[in-house]
PDB file of all heavy atoms in Angstrom:
ATOM      1  N   ALA A 121      -5.126  -8.916  24.121  1.00 96.00           N
ATOM      2  CA  ALA A 121      -5.132  -8.636  22.683  1.00 96.00           C
ATOM      3  C   ALA A 121      -3.865  -9.182  22.029  1.00 96.00           C
ATOM      4  O   ALA A 121      -3.903  -9.665  20.888  1.00 96.00           O
ATOM      5  CB  ALA A 121      -5.246  -7.129  22.446  1.00 96.00           C
ATOM      6  N   ALA A 122      -2.737  -9.111  22.741  1.00 96.00           N
ATOM      7  CA  ALA A 122      -1.491  -9.659  22.196  1.00 96.00           C
ATOM      8  C   ALA A 122      -1.607 -11.168  21.981  1.00 96.00           C
ATOM      9  O   ALA A 122      -1.104 -11.708  20.986  1.00 96.00           O
ATOM     10  CB  ALA A 122      -0.329  -9.345  23.129  1.00 96.00           C
ATOM     11  N   ASP A 123      -2.271 -11.859  22.904  1.00 95.00           N
ATOM     12  CA  ASP A 123      -2.492 -13.300  22.731  1.00 95.00           C
ATOM     13  C   ASP A 123      -3.328 -13.580  21.488  1.00 95.00           C
ATOM     14  O   ASP A 123      -3.117 -14.581  20.788  1.00 95.00           O
ATOM     15  CB  ASP A 123      -3.196 -13.877  23.959  1.00 95.00           C
ATOM     16  CG  ASP A 123      -2.348 -13.784  25.216  1.00 95.00           C
ATOM     17  OD1 ASP A 123      -1.118 -13.875  25.104  1.00 95.00           O
ATOM     18  OD2 ASP A 123      -2.928 -13.605  26.302  1.00 95.00           O
ATOM     19  N   THR A 124      -4.284 -12.702  21.222  1.00 97.00           N
ATOM     20  CA  THR A 124      -5.126 -12.855  20.039  1.00 97.00           C
ATOM     21  C   THR A 124      -4.300 -12.754  18.766  1.00 97.00           C
ATOM     22  O   THR A 124      -4.501 -13.507  17.807  1.00 97.00           O
ATOM     23  CB  THR A 124      -6.237 -11.784  20.030  1.00 97.00           C
ATOM     24  OG1 THR A 124      -7.029 -11.930  21.205  1.00 97.00           O
ATOM     25  CG2 THR A 124      -7.121 -11.906  18.806  1.00 97.00           C
ATOM     26  N   VAL A 125      -3.336 -11.831  18.750  1.00 97.00           N
ATOM     27  CA  VAL A 125      -2.501 -11.648  17.559  1.00 97.00           C
ATOM     28  C   VAL A 125      -1.581 -12.850  17.365  1.00 97.00           C
ATOM     29  O   VAL A 125      -1.435 -13.361  16.251  1.00 97.00           O
ATOM     30  CB  VAL A 125      -1.678 -10.350  17.669  1.00 97.00           C
ATOM     31  CG1 VAL A 125      -0.835 -10.144  16.423  1.00 97.00           C
ATOM     32  CG2 VAL A 125      -2.595  -9.153  17.865  1.00 97.00           C
ATOM     33  N   THR A 126      -0.949 -13.326  18.432  1.00 96.00           N
ATOM     34  CA  THR A 126      -0.062 -14.477  18.283  1.00 96.00           C
ATOM     35  C   THR A 126      -0.853 -15.739  17.931  1.00 96.00           C
ATOM     36  O   THR A 126      -0.361 -16.587  17.186  1.00 96.00           O
ATOM     37  CB  THR A 126       0.761 -14.706  19.565  1.00 96.00           C
ATOM     38  OG1 THR A 126      -0.117 -14.830  20.690  1.00 96.00           O
ATOM     39  CG2 THR A 126       1.708 -13.543  19.799  1.00 96.00           C
ATOM     40  N   ALA A 127      -2.082 -15.856  18.440  1.00 96.00           N
ATOM     41  CA  ALA A 127      -2.920 -17.003  18.088  1.00 96.00           C
ATOM     42  C   ALA A 127      -3.268 -16.992  16.600  1.00 96.00           C
ATOM     43  O   ALA A 127      -3.543 -18.038  16.008  1.00 96.00           O
ATOM     44  CB  ALA A 127      -4.194 -17.008  18.931  1.00 96.00           C
ATOM     45  N   ALA A 128      -3.245 -15.807  15.994  1.00 97.00           N
ATOM     46  CA  ALA A 128      -3.526 -15.682  14.565  1.00 97.00           C
ATOM     47  C   ALA A 128      -2.293 -15.977  13.713  1.00 97.00           C
ATOM     48  O   ALA A 128      -2.356 -15.880  12.485  1.00 97.00           O
ATOM     49  CB  ALA A 128      -4.050 -14.281  14.261  1.00 97.00           C
ATOM     50  N   GLY A 129      -1.170 -16.321  14.356  1.00 95.00           N
ATOM     51  CA  GLY A 129       0.011 -16.738  13.617  1.00 95.00           C
ATOM     52  C   GLY A 129       1.117 -15.717  13.529  1.00 95.00           C
ATOM     53  O   GLY A 129       2.158 -15.982  12.916  1.00 95.00           O
ATOM     54  N   TYR A 130       0.920 -14.552  14.141  1.00 96.00           N
ATOM     55  CA  TYR A 130       1.965 -13.530  14.111  1.00 96.00           C
ATOM     56  C   TYR A 130       2.952 -13.767  15.259  1.00 96.00           C
ATOM     57  O   TYR A 130       2.590 -14.299  16.300  1.00 96.00           O
ATOM     58  CB  TYR A 130       1.356 -12.136  14.222  1.00 96.00           C
ATOM     59  CG  TYR A 130       0.508 -11.763  13.028  1.00 96.00           C
ATOM     60  CD1 TYR A 130      -0.867 -11.991  13.027  1.00 96.00           C
ATOM     61  CD2 TYR A 130       1.078 -11.208  11.896  1.00 96.00           C
ATOM     62  CE1 TYR A 130      -1.649 -11.671  11.927  1.00 96.00           C
ATOM     63  CE2 TYR A 130       0.307 -10.882  10.794  1.00 96.00           C
ATOM     64  CZ  TYR A 130      -1.063 -11.111  10.816  1.00 96.00           C
ATOM     65  OH  TYR A 130      -1.830 -10.802   9.727  1.00 96.00           O
ATOM     66  N   ILE A 131       4.179 -13.338  15.048  1.00 95.00           N
ATOM     67  CA  ILE A 131       5.253 -13.552  16.012  1.00 95.00           C
ATOM     68  C   ILE A 131       5.553 -12.254  16.731  1.00 95.00           C
ATOM     69  O   ILE A 131       5.762 -11.211  16.109  1.00 95.00           O
ATOM     70  CB  ILE A 131       6.516 -14.063  15.287  1.00 95.00           C
ATOM     71  CG1 ILE A 131       6.230 -15.416  14.639  1.00 95.00           C
ATOM     72  CG2 ILE A 131       7.692 -14.172  16.255  1.00 95.00           C
ATOM     73  CD1 ILE A 131       7.279 -15.845  13.640  1.00 95.00           C
ATOM     74  N   ASP A 132       5.564 -12.310  18.051  1.00 95.00           N
ATOM     75  CA  ASP A 132       5.951 -11.172  18.876  1.00 95.00           C
ATOM     76  C   ASP A 132       7.471 -11.028  18.767  1.00 95.00           C
ATOM     77  O   ASP A 132       8.223 -11.872  19.244  1.00 95.00           O
ATOM     78  CB  ASP A 132       5.526 -11.441  20.321  1.00 95.00           C
ATOM     79  CG  ASP A 132       5.905 -10.336  21.281  1.00 95.00           C
ATOM     80  OD1 ASP A 132       6.558  -9.367  20.845  1.00 95.00           O
ATOM     81  OD2 ASP A 132       5.561 -10.437  22.469  1.00 95.00           O
ATOM     82  N   VAL A 133       7.930  -9.963  18.114  1.00 94.00           N
ATOM     83  CA  VAL A 133       9.345  -9.840  17.778  1.00 94.00           C
ATOM     84  C   VAL A 133      10.234  -9.897  19.011  1.00 94.00           C
ATOM     85  O   VAL A 133      11.286 -10.534  19.007  1.00 94.00           O
ATOM     86  CB  VAL A 133       9.594  -8.549  16.975  1.00 94.00           C
ATOM     87  CG1 VAL A 133      11.093  -8.275  16.824  1.00 94.00           C
ATOM     88  CG2 VAL A 133       8.947  -8.647  15.590  1.00 94.00           C
ATOM     89  N   VAL A 134       9.833  -9.231  20.101  1.00 92.00           N
ATOM     90  CA  VAL A 134      10.689  -9.210  21.282  1.00 92.00           C
ATOM     91  C   VAL A 134      10.566 -10.491  22.106  1.00 92.00           C
ATOM     92  O   VAL A 134      11.423 -10.800  22.920  1.00 92.00           O
ATOM     93  CB  VAL A 134      10.398  -7.973  22.159  1.00 92.00           C
ATOM     94  CG1 VAL A 134       9.107  -8.133  22.922  1.00 92.00           C
ATOM     95  CG2 VAL A 134      11.557  -7.680  23.100  1.00 92.00           C
ATOM     96  N   GLY A 135       9.513 -11.268  21.916  1.00 90.00           N
ATOM     97  CA  GLY A 135       9.385 -12.557  22.581  1.00 90.00           C
ATOM     98  C   GLY A 135       8.956 -12.487  24.026  1.00 90.00           C
ATOM     99  O   GLY A 135       9.655 -12.950  24.924  1.00 90.00           O
ATOM    100  N   ASN A 136       7.802 -11.910  24.291  1.00 88.00           N
ATOM    101  CA  ASN A 136       7.285 -11.855  25.658  1.00 88.00           C
ATOM    102  C   ASN A 136       6.886 -13.250  26.117  1.00 88.00           C
ATOM    103  O   ASN A 136       6.160 -13.965  25.426  1.00 88.00           O
ATOM    104  CB  ASN A 136       6.071 -10.921  25.722  1.00 88.00           C
ATOM    105  CG  ASN A 136       6.469  -9.476  25.589  1.00 88.00           C
ATOM    106  OD1 ASN A 136       7.167  -8.933  26.436  1.00 88.00           O
ATOM    107  ND2 ASN A 136       6.044  -8.825  24.508  1.00 88.00           N
ATOM    108  N   ASP A 137       7.358 -13.624  27.286  1.00 83.00           N
ATOM    109  CA  ASP A 137       7.125 -14.966  27.805  1.00 83.00           C
ATOM    110  C   ASP A 137       5.843 -14.987  28.627  1.00 83.00           C
ATOM    111  O   ASP A 137       5.763 -14.402  29.701  1.00 83.00           O
ATOM    112  CB  ASP A 137       8.303 -15.394  28.672  1.00 83.00           C
ATOM    113  CG  ASP A 137       8.269 -16.879  29.013  1.00 83.00           C
ATOM    114  OD1 ASP A 137       7.188 -17.490  28.878  1.00 83.00           O
ATOM    115  OD2 ASP A 137       9.312 -17.411  29.406  1.00 83.00           O
ATOM    116  N   ARG A 138       4.831 -15.681  28.122  1.00 81.00           N
ATOM    117  CA  ARG A 138       3.545 -15.795  28.821  1.00 81.00           C
ATOM    118  C   ARG A 138       3.425 -17.119  29.568  1.00 81.00           C
ATOM    119  O   ARG A 138       2.387 -17.418  30.142  1.00 81.00           O
ATOM    120  CB  ARG A 138       2.396 -15.689  27.815  1.00 81.00           C
ATOM    121  CG  ARG A 138       2.246 -14.313  27.189  1.00 81.00           C
ATOM    122  CD  ARG A 138       1.512 -13.352  28.106  1.00 81.00           C
ATOM    123  NE  ARG A 138       0.088 -13.611  28.083  1.00 81.00           N
ATOM    124  CZ  ARG A 138      -0.763 -13.175  28.996  1.00 81.00           C
ATOM    125  NH1 ARG A 138      -0.320 -12.483  30.031  1.00 81.00           N
ATOM    126  NH2 ARG A 138      -2.052 -13.425  28.913  1.00 81.00           N
ATOM    127  N   SER A 139       4.495 -17.921  29.569  1.00 74.00           N
ATOM    128  CA  SER A 139       4.389 -19.265  30.140  1.00 74.00           C
ATOM    129  C   SER A 139       4.671 -19.307  31.636  1.00 74.00           C
ATOM    130  O   SER A 139       4.379 -20.302  32.278  1.00 74.00           O
ATOM    131  CB  SER A 139       5.360 -20.208  29.426  1.00 74.00           C
ATOM    132  OG  SER A 139       6.703 -19.817  29.654  1.00 74.00           O
ATOM    133  N   LEU A 140       5.273 -18.250  32.176  1.00 63.00           N
ATOM    134  CA  LEU A 140       5.643 -18.245  33.582  1.00 63.00           C
ATOM    135  C   LEU A 140       4.989 -17.095  34.322  1.00 63.00           C
ATOM    136  O   LEU A 140       4.566 -16.111  33.736  1.00 63.00           O
ATOM    137  CB  LEU A 140       7.165 -18.124  33.725  1.00 63.00           C
ATOM    138  CG  LEU A 140       8.006 -19.241  33.109  1.00 63.00           C
ATOM    139  CD1 LEU A 140       9.479 -18.887  33.210  1.00 63.00           C
ATOM    140  CD2 LEU A 140       7.727 -20.553  33.813  1.00 63.00           C
ATOM    141  N   ARG A 141       4.937 -17.218  35.635  1.00 60.00           N
ATOM    142  CA  ARG A 141       4.462 -16.134  36.485  1.00 60.00           C
ATOM    143  C   ARG A 141       5.667 -15.536  37.228  1.00 60.00           C
ATOM    144  O   ARG A 141       6.756 -16.088  37.210  1.00 60.00           O
ATOM    145  CB  ARG A 141       3.419 -16.654  37.497  1.00 60.00           C
ATOM    146  CG  ARG A 141       2.161 -17.181  36.827  1.00 60.00           C
ATOM    147  CD  ARG A 141       1.398 -16.040  36.155  1.00 60.00           C
ATOM    148  NE  ARG A 141       0.164 -16.499  35.535  1.00 60.00           N
ATOM    149  CZ  ARG A 141       0.038 -16.813  34.258  1.00 60.00           C
ATOM    150  NH1 ARG A 141       1.085 -16.738  33.452  1.00 60.00           N
ATOM    151  NH2 ARG A 141      -1.119 -17.187  33.772  1.00 60.00           N
ATOM    152  N   ALA A 142       5.450 -14.419  37.878  1.00 54.00           N
ATOM    153  CA  ALA A 142       6.541 -13.744  38.578  1.00 54.00           C
ATOM    154  C   ALA A 142       7.152 -14.658  39.627  1.00 54.00           C
ATOM    155  O   ALA A 142       6.455 -15.396  40.312  1.00 54.00           O
ATOM    156  CB  ALA A 142       6.026 -12.467  39.226  1.00 54.00           C
ATOM    157  N   SER A 143       8.470 -14.592  39.735  1.00 49.00           N
ATOM    158  CA  SER A 143       9.157 -15.416  40.729  1.00 49.00           C
ATOM    159  C   SER A 143      10.507 -14.784  41.031  1.00 49.00           C
ATOM    160  O   SER A 143      10.966 -13.884  40.329  1.00 49.00           O
ATOM    161  CB  SER A 143       9.364 -16.843  40.207  1.00 49.00           C
ATOM    162  OG  SER A 143      10.353 -16.855  39.202  1.00 49.00           O
ATOM    163  N   GLY A 144      11.168 -15.267  42.053  1.00 50.00           N
ATOM    164  CA  GLY A 144      12.458 -14.728  42.434  1.00 50.00           C
ATOM    165  C   GLY A 144      13.543 -14.966  41.413  1.00 50.00           C
ATOM    166  O   GLY A 144      14.605 -14.365  41.476  1.00 50.00           O
ATOM    167  N   SER A 145      13.329 -15.862  40.467  1.00 53.00           N
ATOM    168  CA  SER A 145      14.323 -16.144  39.436  1.00 53.00           C
ATOM    169  C   SER A 145      14.008 -15.419  38.131  1.00 53.00           C
ATOM    170  O   SER A 145      14.379 -15.868  37.060  1.00 53.00           O
ATOM    171  CB  SER A 145      14.404 -17.646  39.174  1.00 53.00           C
ATOM    172  OG  SER A 145      13.141 -18.127  38.734  1.00 53.00           O
ATOM    173  N   ALA A 146      13.300 -14.331  38.238  1.00 55.00           N
ATOM    174  CA  ALA A 146      12.930 -13.452  37.111  1.00 55.00           C
ATOM    175  C   ALA A 146      11.622 -13.857  36.451  1.00 55.00           C
ATOM    176  O   ALA A 146      10.974 -13.039  35.815  1.00 55.00           O
ATOM    177  CB  ALA A 146      14.023 -13.347  36.063  1.00 55.00           C
ATOM    178  N   GLY A 147      11.226 -15.118  36.602  1.00 63.00           N
ATOM    179  CA  GLY A 147       9.907 -15.510  36.131  1.00 63.00           C
ATOM    180  C   GLY A 147       9.627 -15.056  34.727  1.00 63.00           C
ATOM    181  O   GLY A 147      10.436 -15.228  33.829  1.00 63.00           O
ATOM    182  N   TRP A 148       8.474 -14.440  34.534  1.00 69.00           N
ATOM    183  CA  TRP A 148       8.097 -14.078  33.168  1.00 69.00           C
ATOM    184  C   TRP A 148       8.743 -12.774  32.711  1.00 69.00           C
ATOM    185  O   TRP A 148       8.372 -12.215  31.686  1.00 69.00           O
ATOM    186  CB  TRP A 148       6.599 -14.055  32.998  1.00 69.00           C
ATOM    187  CG  TRP A 148       5.821 -13.148  33.905  1.00 69.00           C
ATOM    188  CD1 TRP A 148       6.272 -12.243  34.799  1.00 69.00           C
ATOM    189  CD2 TRP A 148       4.406 -13.076  33.960  1.00 69.00           C
ATOM    190  NE1 TRP A 148       5.248 -11.605  35.415  1.00 69.00           N
ATOM    191  CE2 TRP A 148       4.077 -12.103  34.920  1.00 69.00           C
ATOM    192  CE3 TRP A 148       3.374 -13.733  33.293  1.00 69.00           C
ATOM    193  CZ2 TRP A 148       2.756 -11.764  35.230  1.00 69.00           C
ATOM    194  CZ3 TRP A 148       2.071 -13.400  33.611  1.00 69.00           C
ATOM    195  CH2 TRP A 148       1.766 -12.431  34.574  1.00 69.00           C
ATOM    196  N   CYS A 149       9.733 -12.293  33.438  1.00 81.00           N
ATOM    197  CA  CYS A 149      10.620 -11.266  32.874  1.00 81.00           C
ATOM    198  C   CYS A 149      11.476 -11.877  31.764  1.00 81.00           C
ATOM    199  O   CYS A 149      12.035 -11.168  30.948  1.00 81.00           O
ATOM    200  CB  CYS A 149      11.541 -10.694  33.946  1.00 81.00           C
ATOM    201  SG  CYS A 149      10.715  -9.615  35.134  1.00 81.00           S
ATOM    202  N   ARG A 150      11.595 -13.197  31.764  1.00 81.00           N
ATOM    203  CA  ARG A 150      12.430 -13.865  30.774  1.00 81.00           C
ATOM    204  C   ARG A 150      11.904 -13.616  29.368  1.00 81.00           C
ATOM    205  O   ARG A 150      10.707 -13.553  29.131  1.00 81.00           O
ATOM    206  CB  ARG A 150      12.423 -15.379  31.055  1.00 81.00           C
ATOM    207  CG  ARG A 150      13.418 -16.161  30.205  1.00 81.00           C
ATOM    208  CD  ARG A 150      13.237 -17.651  30.427  1.00 81.00           C
ATOM    209  NE  ARG A 150      11.975 -18.132  29.891  1.00 81.00           N
ATOM    210  CZ  ARG A 150      11.549 -19.387  29.999  1.00 81.00           C
ATOM    211  NH1 ARG A 150      12.255 -20.257  30.675  1.00 81.00           N
ATOM    212  NH2 ARG A 150      10.396 -19.753  29.466  1.00 81.00           N
TER     213      ARG A 150
END
């Protein structure tokens, strides 16, 4: 649902990173 909102042009204020997967270097915790 969050992807649906950002696709509609709204900005996720905290900036959740959906581009990466979990990894030892923090991954999508970034």
Side-chain angles (χ1 to χ4, degrees):
D123 296 328
T124 300
V125 181
T126 55
Y130 294 93
I131 297 166
D132 179 357
V133 170
V134 75
N136 288 296
D137 192 342
R138 292 280 283 163
S139 64
L140 299 174
R141 296 293 182 264
S143 72
S145 60
W148 57 6
C149 288
R150 188 186 68 183

